[in-house]
Amino acid sequence: MSLSHTDHTDIGSLVAFAIRPTQRPGRNPEYQRVLGRYRTEPDFKTATNAILHGLGAQVLSDGDFGLILAVTPESPLAFRISDMPFTGKPENRLLAGLVLTGLVAFAYPSTEELDDDRVRHISARDFDAWLRELCEQLRSHDAAGDIIPEEGLDEAWRAYLRLPSVHFGDAGRGSGKLTSRCTRYWVQSILTWLTGQGMARVDGSTEDTWTLTERFRVHAKEIALERAFTFIAELHRTKETLR
C-alpha cells in the first residue's frame, strides 16, 4: 500500500515528537494518535523506521514514554558529551562521562536489574559518595599495577578525586552555591540535564533527590554495552561480595 501525503505528514509529526524527549503521549492527544498508528499499522511503521534509519536512528521502545530512539555516533540526532553544559574543557567532559556511566552502574548494577522496571530514586549526596568510593577502588587498582581497560576511565577517576565533594561560591550570585570545582556540582548538573532530556525528574521529597524514568532505563541498556560500564559494574559487584 502506498502512503498518502497525510501519512507522511503523520510520520514527520511522530519523528518530531520522538526527538523532543520531554513530550509524552499521555499529555498530547496528537502524539498519542500518531504513536497509535506506528503501533498498529505495519506500512506506517515500516516507513517510519526507514526514515529513522536514514537519520542514523532506530526505535528502542514505543511504550508509554513514546518513541525512544537510539542513534549512531554519525547521526545528526546524536548526543555528545560536549552538548552538556560547561563541558568545553576535556577534563569536564571526562567528569560528565564518568558521572553518566557511573549513574547507570549505581542504578542498575547488573544486566538483570536493567530488565527490572521498578522506580529508582537517586540522592546526589549518596551517589557522589558511592562514585568517590569507586574512584578510590580504581586508585588502588592502579597502584597494584592492574590494567584499567578503558583509557578515558583511567583519566576520569583521577579528575574526580582531584576535586572535593563540595565547594561553595563566596561572591556574587554564586555565593553559597555549589561550583564546578566540586564533584557534587557535576552529579547535580548531570541529573538536571537528564531531567531536561526526559530521563529523570526532581523528587519533591528531598531537595537533592531525583527519580530516574523509564526513558533512562531504556537508554541505560545502550550504555551497558560499553566497556567502561562493564568494568565499573564488575568492580562494584566485587566490592559488595567482599563486604
Side-chain angles (χ1 to χ4, degrees), residues 81-82 85-96 180-181 186:
I81 291 292
S82 57
F86 312 116
T87 53
K89 296 179 180 179
E91 183 169 295
N92 291 351
R93 289 195 292 275
L94 286 172
L95 289 168
S180 60
R181 288 182 284 175
W186 288 103

Side-chain angles (χ1 to χ4, degrees), residues 17-24 31 56-62 65-72 77-80 84 100-101 103-105 107-108 113-116 193-200 212-226 229:
F17 284 127
I19 63 177
R20 288 180 287 174
T22 56
Q23 292 288 325
R24 296 284 186 278
Y31 192 1
Q58 64 175 347
V59 176
L60 295 177
S61 172
D62 61 1
F65 269 75
L67 221 57
I68 301 177
L69 306 178
V71 299
T72 64
L77 306 177
F79 158 75
R80 294 169 177 80
M84 291 182 177
L100 191 58
T101 304
L103 193 58
V104 177
Y108 307 100
E113 293 271 1
L114 284 163
D115 293 322
D116 183 354
W193 179 82
L194 288 171
T195 300
Q197 301 302 307
M199 289 189 271
L212 300 179
T213 68
E214 175 68 7
R215 181 181 289 273
F216 180 86
R217 186 175 72 90
V218 171
H219 279 289
K221 291 185 177 183
E222 295 292 298
I223 293 177
L225 299 175
E226 298 178 3
F229 166 83

Side-chain angles (χ1 to χ4, degrees), residues 91 94-96 98-99 124-125 127-136 139 153-165 181-188:
E91 183 169 295
L94 286 172
L95 289 168
L98 176 64
V99 171
R125 183 190 304 270
F127 173 64
D128 176 49
W130 177 88
L131 189 54
R132 184 166 290 276
E133 185 177 348
L134 184 83
C135 288
E136 290 289 357
R139 191 208 296 269
L153 179 58
D154 190 36
E155 296 176 23
W157 71 258
R158 298 173 193 274
Y160 204 85
L161 289 181
R162 278 197 291 270
L163 299 178
S165 288
R181 288 182 284 175
C182 69
T183 55
R184 187 85 61 79
Y185 167 90
W186 288 103
V187 170
Q188 292 193 3

